[in-house]
């Protein structure tokens, strides 16, 4: 009983505004820029390539984040850490996924990638909160299922294997960027509630106005957090 009370007090401390650290806009990270370059080369595997890059780049940082908080707050519960991560990245998603670091024709693609990068941060930090290794390769497949890119882990693993084997870009850079943007928009559209908004927006700015339905969708990020918590929380704690 005392341990549970201590954990609740620790969780309350963790959720103070001062503990919810602001994070740099994701498009400013060199890892995302590098991933985006590969996405443009292989647009058919855009979400898969971002998932692989996120596990490799964000996974170790998410693990360090969880270890640091557990060291500073030994009584912190996994649910407390999960709530902290959820607030942090839902807030970031609500801010619009940050401003694209790349200008010109590729800016819409960069912003779409930034939204999914924020979602990847959210999922990997939640995995770390519940004791899963966020840098393990399995997290990439889980990320694709949780973000509704693929319906199950098997199809996600198949697509990841194909993405790893992809080589040699084709077509022109602009056409590749458009294809990658629409591939990235698909899961965001599903999370936002359908394609109607995207179709209407595309009449104004084809291929780019999907941001109107996707970027800054904090509600979608909150739903993603709920799915991730349900997946990673141990059965005995439910």
């Amino acid at each position: 009983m005392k341990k549970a009370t201590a954990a609740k007090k620790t969780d309350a401390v963790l959720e103070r505004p001062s503990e919810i650290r602001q994070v740099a806009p994701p498009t400013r990270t060199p890892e995302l820029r590098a991933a985006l370059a590969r996405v443009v080369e292989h647009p058919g595997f855009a979400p898969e390539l971002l998932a692989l890059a996120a596990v490799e780049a964000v996974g170790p940082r998410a693990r360090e984040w969880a270890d640091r908080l557990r060291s500073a707050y030994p009584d912190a519960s996994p649910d407390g850490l999960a709530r902290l991560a959820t607030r942090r990245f839902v807030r970031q998603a609500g801010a619009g996924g940050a401003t694209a670091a790349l200008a010109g024709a590729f800016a819409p693609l960069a912003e779409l990638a930034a939204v999914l990068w924020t979602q990847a941060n959210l999922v990997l930090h939640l995995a770390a909160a519940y004791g899963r290794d966020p840098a393990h390769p399995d997290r990439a497949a889980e990320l694709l299922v949780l973000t509704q890119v693929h319906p199950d882990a098997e199809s996600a693993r198949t697509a990841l294997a194909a993405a790893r084997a992809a080589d040699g870009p084709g077509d022109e850079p602009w056409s590749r960027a458009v294809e990658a943007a629409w591939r990235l928009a698909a899961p965001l559209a599903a999370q936002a509630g359908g394609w109607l908004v995207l179709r209407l927006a595309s009449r104004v700015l084809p291929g780019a106005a999907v941001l109107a339905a996707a970027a800054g969708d904090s509600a979608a990020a909150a739903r993603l957090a709920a799915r991730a918590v349900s997946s990673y929380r141990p059965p005995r704690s439910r």
Side-chain angles (χ1 to χ4, degrees):
M1 184 67 178
K2 290 182 178 180
K3 186 175 182 180
T5 302
K8 289 182 180 179
K9 289 181 179 179
T10 301
D11 291 351
V13 171
L14 278 175
E15 293 177 32
R16 290 174 183 170
S18 61
E19 294 296 335
I20 303 175
R21 306 300 183 190
Q22 295 294 326
V23 293
T27 42
R28 295 180 186 175
T29 65
E31 296 92 347
L32 179 53
R33 293 183 186 181
L36 190 56
R38 184 155 170 75
V39 162
V40 172
E41 289 185 353
H42 306 285
F45 298 112
E48 291 80 10
L49 291 171
L50 278 180
L52 290 169
V55 170
E56 181 178 349
V58 177
R61 292 202 295 267
R63 183 171 54 209
E64 292 171 5
W65 167 84
D67 290 344
R68 184 173 65 252
L69 286 179
R70 289 191 185 100
S71 177
Y73 304 98
D75 293 324
S77 68
D79 285 338
L81 296 181
R83 285 192 295 271
L84 184 65
T86 298
R87 285 193 183 186
R88 173 181 176 180
F89 292 106
V90 167
R91 177 180 296 178
Q92 187 178 90
T99 302
L102 303 179
F106 296 110
L109 173 59
E111 289 202 35
L112 283 167
V115 173
L116 285 175
W117 194 259
T118 298
Q119 292 190 349
N121 268 274
L122 170 60
V123 170
L124 294 175
H125 279 73
L126 289 173
Y130 287 104
R132 305 287 185 93
D133 181 2
H136 192 281
D138 286 350
R139 301 294 86 79
E142 294 165 2
L143 178 57
L144 292 172
V145 173
L146 288 168
T147 54
Q148 300 179 333
V149 175
H150 290 283
D152 52 58
E154 183 178 356
S155 63
R157 284 192 290 268
T158 299
L160 287 168
R164 291 188 184 97
D167 60 357
D171 302 321
E172 293 300 317
W174 169 247
S175 62
R176 295 200 302 267
V178 171
E179 182 183 351
W182 280 108
R183 182 82 207 284
L184 292 175
L188 293 172
Q191 294 171 47
W195 286 98
L196 179 59
V197 175
L198 301 189
R199 288 199 297 268
L200 293 175
S202 66
R203 295 179 183 177
V204 180
L205 187 56
V210 289
L211 297 174
D217 192 348
S218 58
R223 290 193 294 271
L224 171 61
R227 292 194 297 271
V229 168
S230 178
S231 176
Y232 290 133
R233 180 187 283 159
R236 66 177 183 277
S237 299
R238 290 180 182 173

